[in-house]
Amino acid sequence: MKTCKEIRSEFIRFFEERGHTFVPSSSLLPADDPTLLFANAGMNQFKAVFLGTEKRPYNRVANSQKCIRAGGKHNDLEDVGHDTYHHTFFEMLGNWSFGNYFKADAIGWAWELLTKVWGLPKDRLHATVFGGDAADGLPVDDEAAKLWKTLTDIPPDHIHKGGKKDNFWEMGETGPCGPCSEIHIDLTDDKSGAALVNKGDRRVMEIWNLVFMQFNRQAGGKLEPLPATHVDTGMGLERVGMVLQGKRSNYATDLFMPIIERIEAFTKHRYGKRTAGAGQDRFDVIDASDMSDVAFRVVADHARALTFAIADGVMPSNDGRGYVLRRILRRAARYGRQYLKIEGPFLVEIVPTIADLMGQAFPELIERSKAVQDIIREEEESFGKTLDRGIDLFAKQSKRLRDSGQKIVPGDLAFDLYATYGFPLDLTQIMAGECEMTVDVEGYNQAMAQHRETSSAGEGKFKADAVVGLPACDDSAKYNKGEIAAKVLGWVVDGKFVSTGRLCKGDQAAVVLDRTNFYGETGGQVGDAGQFAWTSGQFTVRDTKIAGDCVLYVGAVESGELAIGQAVRCHVDPSRMDTARNHSATHLMNWALRKTLGGHVHQAGSVVSPDRLRFDFSHSQAVTAAQLIEVEKLVNARVLADEKITVKLVPLAQAKKIDGVRAVFGEKYPDPVRVIAVGTDDPLVKAGEDCPVEFCGGTHLERTGQVGLFKIISEESVAKGVRRITAVTGRAAVELVQKMDATVSELTELLHAPAEQLAERVAALQKEVRELRKRPAGGASPSKMKEIQTPAGLVVIGDVGMVDAGAMRNLCDQQRQKGAVAIMVGGAAEDKVTIVAMVDDSLAATGKLKAGDWVQAVAPVIGGKGGGKPNLAQAGGKSPDKLPDALAKAEEFIKQKLG
């Protein structure tokens, strides 16, 4: 029996022998594609190639891509566990052609691999082809149907036509798409499954999808032909592994069995024990009705998704892909607790098993295993507390509803339990059923639909990668300082590239030139600003974007008219020097953080702009003030040393071997790659832990001394296990220090203390304030507080020397806690008088004394009015000199009421 590891290797080797280049899986965190939550197909990393905006040194590719489908257009989350073949995380084996071969080779090779290499029975295989779609104006794919008949010996009646839902593949709401031909396998006992093709029946399931990329779906839904035709195929390793291993369930393969066995260590339940027949492999159960078996599948699948996603840098959070990841974790935790009776964190204990199982193919699982475990442990512990609070909330709210005669849990409450406490709808329905209640599912769905917009993929005003037909631009001068001459090729308006007409003053567009010295936004560095000019006009560039091999100047015509073919002179704004300062300083800070906090620090994101730098990094706790000072010292020491910054192009394989080199995990790097090194003339000769070396395509300084000054502004948490530092350099750092110096100078004058004693002086003032707050009358002596014994209890009246009503209420409450049944305090300042009265609830309930009546009797004395509740009231007046008379009136009122 072939292992899934062998199946993966055989697939890749088969296509390598047919001229394909093996390209490793991209990260699950989509690079430069705001339209995706996660990498959900093998073609994601090649999207720009399909659109014709990027070229690669190969035109045939094969790989095994990490995928998650748990949000957006492709979402399998709710199916997972309830059958034996859907997953959130899966491996997609695939082969691609970029304008090289098309339908004939794709179909022929697929048939050869399945039937000749792997020996699958031909009479169990079925092929589907696109049956056309009138709405999109698409005809039947007769070409694919004919190729199946002529290139393979598949039975003719095993070729079926399918509709748009099954046989037209789209990556998302927009982007590359095309008709597809799916290969299904008939697993029925008597090979009678023809009628079950495309019916969602596990007995006849799709194992390989051959997509013929021909179109690009625009934002408005219109289909436009791609510049060239391509092939994109995908075959789930889990499904084909099940078939080749002779199983009926994906969870019976060697990809899942070790994980399920690990889960069994935490529960008394045993997978398949109640549903497996006599002599049957208990892992190969297909009865989806047993909820403990469902829970095993949910936990096993979701643990894989969590481990892979977090290892790729996706962190659980409350929005976007982080929210989806948190939902996956909570769904797994809830199933484990509810159906397997597992108490406490347990998903964290499965991570090492997954790393051992998959680490050879995906080494990042082993490298980041500890960090993944730390994040999952925190999330599980947090949800354990949340789960209990959610159950308590439901109990209170359902009781309130039942007491008022209602039998339906409102949809917004059900959604709040889901969004805030992680309760899936089915859990809320179960709890409602136990109370003989139902849930307003329609209201829940409406709340969910409204929320999905905030947790769906991507946003952005200008999506450069959605534009088709952009010409290539020579950007070899993007690191140059001087201006260059260029020619206008066209511009993008309303999402389309235009190469005719003119732009007039005030018109906004994204202009394309034949060459550029501007740096386009990429790798965390913002795009350059500036302008390009011609004899009679100027175009102001506010941002520079990249779309494959094209660079776009986003801005507006400042003066004159701009025509196609116009010769222009390009000037980059001087602020680029500030961007370079911040970028070089970011590399120094990355090095300093590892020196200060430890080697576990990895970059998790960055933004480099002219006014600041922002750096996200892996670290499980707040960076202390002392550690931040140390980071600043280390960076500024290298700035003062004025070390050389070396830029070198190095073959990627060789660059990866440089001692201590840093790279952002999941980032796509070209070959050769640009290497930035500090403190060495040649990173290939001299490097190491004291020589910051990184792969980077951004703009940098020539020497560290040009940074000028490095100063940290803030440090904060952005996600579990991820911290963020914001800092400034150069002129911005000098301005910040000058402002801080001005503030210190002002404080030295106000506090009459030198700068080095300010902290001590402020601490003394804080202590003094705390002591004052402890005094019974805000600084007044106890002699000003008069105590009167009455049959009802102790009454306290006095002048507290303040007019802050809030503070006065606190003083009243303090006296009440000491045993007073009624308190009235007053205070005067300039032309204002405030009086606050408080009466114990038990005394007020008797009607003998009410705070409102008390202040109404006293307020006229100070020339004011008052009122309030029986237990708390307040009055204000404009006669400070009358306060003693008012307090005397208050005492007289007490004697009348209480004796």
Side-chain angles (χ1 to χ4, degrees):
M1 183 178 71
K2 293 181 186 295
T3 65
C4 285
K5 176 182 175 182
E6 290 170 336
I7 295 168
R8 183 193 298 119
S9 298
E10 288 177 359
F11 178 90
I12 293 168
R13 186 167 59 250
F14 177 87
F15 283 101
E16 284 180 328
E17 292 170 353
R18 285 153 183 80
H20 290 64
T21 299
F22 172 72
V23 176
S25 170
S26 68
S27 168
L28 284 165
L29 191 61
D32 302 323
D33 190 343
T35 67
L36 286 178
L37 283 171
F38 301 99
N40 63 8
M43 64 79 62
N44 294 159
Q45 65 172 307
F46 306 118
K47 180 178 177 182
V49 182
F50 289 131
L51 288 171
T53 59
E54 181 181 327
K55 290 181 174 62
R56 299 285 179 93
Y58 40 71
N59 53 25
R60 295 182 178 188
V61 169
N63 83 349
S64 181
Q65 171 66 43
K66 300 176 289 187
C67 299
I68 286 182
R69 291 186 179 176
K73 183 178 179 65
H74 298 283
N75 184 358
D76 291 339
L77 180 58
E78 298 305 330
D79 294 323
V80 172
H82 294 286
D83 61 32
T84 59
Y85 53 89
H86 275 100
H87 303 287
T88 51
F89 171 85
F90 62 96
E91 279 187 69
M92 181 74 83
L93 302 174
N95 61 288
W96 292 267
S97 163
F98 306 135
N100 187 252
Y101 63 84
F102 201 42
K103 296 180 183 179
D105 286 329
I107 291 172
W109 284 333
W111 189 253
E112 181 183 356
L113 178 60
L114 291 176
T115 61
K116 294 182 180 179
V117 178
W118 285 341
L120 291 180
K122 299 173 184 178
D123 57 354
R124 285 193 177 275
L125 297 176
H126 292 255
T128 63
V129 297
F130 181 50
D133 184 78
D136 276 330
L138 297 171
V140 176
D141 192 355
D142 290 323
E143 180 187 4
K146 183 178 179 180
L147 290 170
W148 275 109
K149 294 176 182 177
T150 58
L151 294 181
T152 76
D153 51 353
I154 188 173
D157 59 348
H158 283 204
I159 302 171
H160 312 264
K161 292 179 182 178
K164 182 178 176 181
K165 176 179 178 293
D166 297 304
N167 283 95
F168 193 88
W169 195 91
E170 302 192 56
M171 187 179 75
E173 298 299 329
T174 61
C177 55
C180 63
S181 184
E182 295 180 339
I183 303 172
H184 298 247
I185 187 162
D186 182 353
L187 300 176
T188 60
D189 294 335
D190 57 358
K191 304 178 185 178
S192 61
L196 300 176
V197 173
N198 276 344
K199 293 297 188 293
D201 192 301
R202 66 160 194 84
R203 292 170 295 173
V204 180
M205 68 173 67
E206 171 212 334
I207 57 172
W208 202 346
N209 190 7
L210 315 180
V211 180
F212 310 123
M213 291 289 187
Q214 298 174 242
F215 305 102
N216 180 48
R217 177 78 70 179
Q218 298 292 311
K222 183 180 177 182
L223 291 175
E224 289 193 354
L226 291 170
T229 55
H230 313 282
V231 169
D232 162 29
T233 86
M235 173 164 54
L237 176 61
E238 293 76 8
R239 286 193 185 182
V240 75
M242 177 203 74
V243 172
L244 293 177
Q245 291 180 6
K247 306 295 185 180
R248 299 184 299 169
S249 164
N250 292 4
Y251 295 89
T253 67
D254 58 341
L255 289 174
F256 286 96
M257 282 175 55
I259 301 173
I260 292 175
E261 289 173 338
R262 179 61 179 143
I263 299 168
E264 288 181 337
F266 308 108
T267 177
K268 294 179 180 179
H269 292 273
R270 292 295 174 264
Y271 184 72
K273 186 176 181 180
R274 289 186 292 199
T275 52
Q280 181 187 351
D281 177 5
R282 68 182 180 93
F283 288 98
D284 203 18
V285 296
I286 56 174
D287 183 350
S289 63
D290 185 89
M291 288 308 296
S292 64
D293 286 352
V294 170
F296 272 111
R297 291 190 288 269
V298 167
V299 172
D301 172 89
H302 290 8
R304 293 204 324 159
L306 292 164
T307 301
F308 273 89
I310 295 173
D312 273 4
V314 184
M315 297 295 166
S317 65
N318 286 328
D319 55 20
R321 59 180 62 92
Y323 176 74
V324 175
L325 200 63
R326 180 165 282 166
R327 182 184 174 200
I328 290 172
L329 186 145
R330 292 181 171 185
R331 187 171 187 258
R334 197 265 298 183
Y335 269 86
R337 178 175 295 192
Q338 185 173 355
Y339 297 110
L340 300 180
K341 308 304 180 185
I342 304 175
E343 295 292 333
F346 63 92
L347 291 167
V348 60
E349 304 298 338
I350 306 172
V351 174
T353 302
I354 296 170
D356 290 343
L357 193 62
M358 309 287 283
Q360 185 175 354
F362 304 100
E364 63 272 14
L365 298 182
I366 297 173
E367 295 169 7
R368 295 170 174 79
S369 179
K370 184 180 182 304
V372 172
Q373 290 177 71
D374 289 343
I375 291 166
I376 291 180
R377 181 182 293 107
E378 286 186 41
E379 283 288 318
E380 283 196 272
E381 290 173 348
S382 174
F383 181 51
K385 300 171 186 175
T386 304
L387 183 60
D388 294 336
R389 291 199 300 269
I391 291 172
D392 182 56
L393 173 66
F394 179 83
K396 292 177 179 177
Q397 293 292 337
S398 60
K399 182 178 185 302
R400 178 183 62 80
L401 291 167
R402 293 195 308 275
D403 289 347
S404 62
Q406 299 183 54
K407 293 286 187 178
I408 300 175
V409 176
D412 56 355
L413 172 59
F415 180 75
D416 184 47
L417 284 167
Y418 166 72
T420 306
Y421 300 97
F423 281 35
L425 178 62
D426 56 351
L427 177 56
T428 303
Q429 288 175 313
I430 289 171
M431 293 191 298
E434 293 170 352
C435 304
E436 297 184 350
M437 302 178 73
T438 58
V439 176
D440 175 12
V441 176
E442 183 178 348
Y444 171 88
N445 289 335
Q446 290 174 354
M448 172 66 81
Q450 185 177 1
H451 180 76
R452 272 178 180 153
E453 293 183 11
T454 63
S455 62
S456 64
E459 58 184 358
K461 295 180 180 178
F462 180 75
K463 296 180 179 179
D465 63 351
V467 183
V468 178
L470 291 172
C473 173
D474 176 9
D475 69 346
S476 57
K478 65 185 176 185
Y479 301 116
N480 295 355
K481 295 181 180 178
E483 67 175 46
I484 66 167
K487 183 175 71 174
V488 176
L489 300 180
W491 43 78
V492 176
V493 177
D494 296 330
K496 291 188 176 183
F497 178 66
V498 177
S499 57
T500 59
R502 291 175 177 271
L503 292 178
C504 300
K505 181 179 178 180
D507 287 348
Q508 299 192 34
V511 176
V512 180
L513 306 181
D514 65 336
R515 59 195 300 258
T516 183
N517 59 339
F518 280 55
Y519 183 91
E521 179 183 352
T522 187
Q525 180 174 325
V526 300
D528 281 335
Q531 62 275 329
F532 56 81
W534 56 102
T535 305
S536 59
Q538 177 177 298
F539 185 94
T540 299
V541 181
R542 68 172 185 269
D543 197 3
T544 308
K545 298 285 189 181
I546 292 178
D549 294 328
C550 184
V551 178
L552 299 108
Y553 296 81
V554 181
V557 178
E558 196 73 24
S559 61
E561 290 187 354
L562 185 63
I564 303 298
Q566 176 70 58
V568 298
R569 302 289 299 180
C570 302
H571 308 264
V572 177
D573 191 87
S575 63
R576 178 200 270 201
M577 184 63 179
D578 294 320
T579 302
R581 286 191 178 98
N582 287 331
H583 206 151
S584 294
T586 298
H587 286 215
L588 293 175
M589 183 175 68
N590 191 359
W591 164 81
L593 284 167
R594 294 195 308 277
K595 293 281 287 185
T596 304
L597 304 178
H600 65 279
V601 170
H602 293 282
Q603 181 174 341
S606 69
V607 173
V608 179
S609 62
D611 60 327
R612 66 182 174 125
L613 65 93
R614 194 182 77 195
F615 188 74
D616 297 347
F617 58 97
S618 55
H619 191 58
S620 59
Q621 55 192 347
V623 184
T624 66
Q627 289 170 331
L628 291 174
I629 290 172
E630 180 63 19
V631 170
E632 283 188 347
K633 284 182 178 179
L634 288 170
V635 172
N636 284 311
R638 301 203 79 143
V639 172
L640 290 171
D642 194 27
E643 297 174 282
K644 182 177 181 179
I645 299 176
T646 300
V647 180
K648 192 178 183 73
L649 278 176
V650 182
L652 185 58
Q654 186 179 7
K656 289 180 177 179
K657 298 176 183 177
I658 296 175
D659 185 21
V661 70
R662 310 296 295 180
V664 180
F665 183 76
E667 190 77 18
K668 292 189 297 183
Y669 291 102
D671 190 4
V673 66
R674 194 164 177 263
V675 177
I676 309 296
V678 178
T680 177
D681 290 331
D682 190 347
L684 297 176
V685 176
K686 178 191 173 185
E689 64 177 51
D690 286 326
C691 180
V693 184
E694 295 191 31
F695 296 166
C696 183
T699 58
H700 284 273
L701 304 170
E702 295 177 355
R703 304 192 68 85
T704 59
Q706 293 172 287
V707 171
L709 177 65
F710 170 81
K711 184 65 182 171
I712 293 174
I713 296 175
S714 64
E715 189 275 342
E716 60 187 326
S717 170
V718 291
K720 288 284 177 65
V722 179
R723 308 297 300 180
R724 171 175 292 169
I725 285 180
T726 303
V728 290
T729 65
R731 290 177 293 185
V734 171
E735 291 174 5
L736 176 64
V737 171
Q738 288 176 331
K739 288 180 181 178
M740 294 170 66
D741 183 63
T743 301
V744 170
S745 296
E746 185 178 356
L747 288 172
T748 59
E749 291 184 19
L750 290 171
L751 300 176
H752 304 290
E756 60 271 18
Q757 294 180 11
L758 285 178
E760 181 181 344
R761 183 73 182 99
V762 170
L765 286 172
Q766 288 177 324
K767 181 179 179 182
E768 186 177 338
V769 169
R770 286 194 297 270
E771 292 298 324
L772 286 171
R773 286 175 176 171
K774 291 178 182 178
R775 295 182 183 180
S781 64
S783 62
K784 288 190 177 182
M785 300 293 288
K786 186 171 184 179
E787 296 183 351
I788 306 168
Q789 288 292 343
T790 73
L794 178 66
V795 177
V796 177
I797 300 173
D799 179 355
V800 294
M802 65 171 71
V803 292
D804 184 336
M808 294 168 78
R809 284 194 295 271
N810 288 338
L811 289 173
C812 289
D813 194 53
Q814 290 174 15
Q815 293 294 330
R816 184 185 60 79
Q817 292 179 21
K818 291 178 180 180
V821 296
I823 310 98
M824 178 175 283
V825 294
E830 297 180 354
D831 59 349
K832 181 180 181 181
V833 187
T834 301
I835 290 176
V836 174
M838 183 177 289
V839 176
D840 188 74
D841 289 343
S842 59
L843 177 58
T846 65
K848 293 181 179 180
L849 179 65
K850 297 180 180 180
D853 296 341
W854 199 6
V855 297
Q856 285 177 357
V858 173
V861 180
I862 56 173
K865 295 180 179 180
K869 299 177 182 179
N871 62 348
L872 181 65
Q874 180 178 329
K878 298 181 179 180
S879 303
D881 57 321
K882 296 294 184 179
L883 179 58
D885 296 339
L887 296 177
K889 178 69 174 178
E891 183 177 348
E892 180 183 333
F893 187 86
I894 286 295
K895 290 178 179 178
Q896 291 175 354
K897 292 291 182 179
L898 302 181

